[in-house]
Amino acid sequence: MAMFVTEKLKSFSWVNVGNPDHEDFEKLQTEYKIDEDTISDILDPDEQPRIEVEDDYKVIIVRFPIINRETDTLWHTEPLSIIYSTSRVITVCRKRCDLLDKIKKDEKTTREEFILNIIYYIAESYLRFLKELNKRVLESKQALLERVRRRNLLALLEVENSYTLYMAGIKGNVAVLDKLEKMRGFVKSEDAEDLLEDARIELAQATEVVTSYSKMLKSIKETFESVINMDSNMYVNRLTMWSIILAVPTVVVGFYGMNMKLPFAEYEQTASTILIAIMILLLGFAMFNLMRRRVV
């Protein structure tokens, strides 16, 4: 459902556009004078974090984590476009950005502090989502310890994709913060400096967490891959062993089916005796293997 909300603050107005439709984009172009190229960038789901300076406004693009409610996965990230001018801040997201509802606003908040506050909450959300992803890794690990299932291995692969996308988004947001810090006149109050430093700390922590969780996930995957390879080798060895054993009666029966004189061929019970002997040997071999597995 589309959302187009305008909120008036003391020093600027905030226009929050979520899940926009064609009419919303037309309104951005006609009423707020946002050019077509900027609209095209907003529509691109793969747009990377960056800053662009236009004639009448500046554009800050950052990426934030979002839950894909259709598939209940957490690997998805979306770009959030922050378009600001002297008296206005416009936030535009292809999907609804729930974290914007948590942004603190008061009469003393400046435009720059408001933007840095958004980036801070995005950095904080990465840590929250990473903790949730780690819970899923531990759940899949526990399930794999009980029984190796395909869906649990695919769940680990999905989380690995999440870590890759999160790391890319975090690094891009850090680069945006670096540019904002160097931008003349953007960080001009002590509160803005504190917000920028807090956002930088949160992003640094998120980077460390992603790196740590990625190493742990890699170790888990390698361990279970080794277990799967060992099981596969064991099954191949068993099949090879049984094929050799079953080849013995085939050879014996083949010999006695030839038109030539063979030992004990004149006795009627020879075939049944040989068959019973082979069955006893196979049964004894099977019991021996079963007892050995129980001991191990």
Side-chain angles (χ1 to χ4, degrees), residues 134-181:
N134 190 50
K135 288 181 182 178
R136 296 198 172 195
V137 171
L138 296 178
E139 289 172 0
S140 297
K141 177 185 175 183
Q142 187 61 37
L144 286 169
L145 288 173
E146 297 173 1
R147 182 180 176 184
V148 178
R149 292 184 176 90
R150 183 171 177 268
R151 68 171 180 268
N152 298 122
L153 292 173
L154 291 176
L156 292 180
L157 179 61
E158 186 178 280
V159 172
E160 188 175 31
N161 292 336
S162 301
Y163 289 156
T164 302
L165 291 173
Y166 281 11
M167 180 62 83
I170 291 168
K171 287 184 176 180
N173 292 351
V174 170
V176 167
L177 274 183
D178 291 338
K179 290 181 180 179
L180 289 176
E181 186 178 20

Side-chain angles (χ1 to χ4, degrees), residues 102-117:
K102 303 177 183 178
I103 302 299
K104 296 178 181 179
K105 304 177 289 292
D106 56 48
E107 295 299 322
K108 297 180 181 179
T109 302
T110 65
R111 179 194 59 179
E112 291 78 11
E113 291 169 4
F114 182 75
I115 294 172
L116 289 171
N117 214 357

Side-chain angles (χ1 to χ4, degrees), residues 6 14 41 56 58 62 87 89-90 105-106 108 111 163 165 196 231 250 286:
T6 302
W14 174 33
D41 292 341
D56 300 324
K58 296 181 178 67
V62 289
S87 59
V89 174
I90 304 173
K105 304 177 289 292
D106 56 48
K108 297 180 181 179
R111 179 194 59 179
Y163 289 156
L165 291 173
L196 187 140
D231 289 343
T250 304

Side-chain angles (χ1 to χ4, degrees), residues 221-235:
K221 283 183 59 184
E222 289 177 350
T223 300
F224 282 106
E225 284 174 0
S226 299
V227 171
I228 291 171
N229 289 333
M230 289 174 61
D231 289 343
S232 299
N233 292 334
M234 182 180 65
Y235 289 131

Side-chain angles (χ1 to χ4, degrees), residues 84-134:
Y84 71 97
S85 59
T86 306
S87 59
R88 185 182 295 118
V89 174
I90 304 173
T91 54
V92 188
C93 183
R94 291 174 59 253
K95 298 184 179 180
R96 182 176 174 83
C97 185
D98 295 332
L99 66 87
L100 291 177
D101 298 333
K102 303 177 183 178
I103 302 299
K104 296 178 181 179
K105 304 177 289 292
D106 56 48
E107 295 299 322
K108 297 180 181 179
T109 302
T110 65
R111 179 194 59 179
E112 291 78 11
E113 291 169 4
F114 182 75
I115 294 172
L116 289 171
N117 214 357
I118 292 174
I119 299 175
Y120 170 78
Y121 274 96
I122 289 175
E124 193 180 51
S125 68
Y126 272 107
L127 287 171
R128 188 172 64 254
F129 276 58
L130 283 167
K131 289 179 181 178
E132 182 64 29
L133 279 175
N134 190 50

Side-chain angles (χ1 to χ4, degrees), residues 216-278:
M216 183 180 69
L217 178 59
K218 183 179 179 181
S219 175
I220 292 172
K221 283 183 59 184
E222 289 177 350
T223 300
F224 282 106
E225 284 174 0
S226 299
V227 171
I228 291 171
N229 289 333
M230 289 174 61
D231 289 343
S232 299
N233 292 334
M234 182 180 65
Y235 289 131
V236 170
N237 291 336
R238 286 181 182 177
L239 289 172
T240 303
M241 178 181 62
W242 281 107
S243 64
I244 294 173
I245 293 172
L246 293 175
V248 175
T250 304
V251 173
V252 173
V253 172
F255 270 117
Y256 278 91
M258 297 179 182
N259 294 324
M260 57 183 295
K261 189 174 182 179
L262 293 171
F264 309 108
E266 63 273 12
Y267 299 104
E268 294 181 359
Q269 292 82 11
T270 299
S272 58
T273 303
I274 293 174
L275 182 61
I276 292 171
I278 291 174

Side-chain angles (χ1 to χ4, degrees), residues 60-76:
I60 301 172
I61 299 177
V62 289
R63 294 194 72 91
F64 67 97
I66 186 172
I67 297 176
N68 189 335
R69 301 187 186 279
E70 296 178 358
T71 58
D72 191 30
T73 55
L74 296 174
W75 62 267
H76 194 48

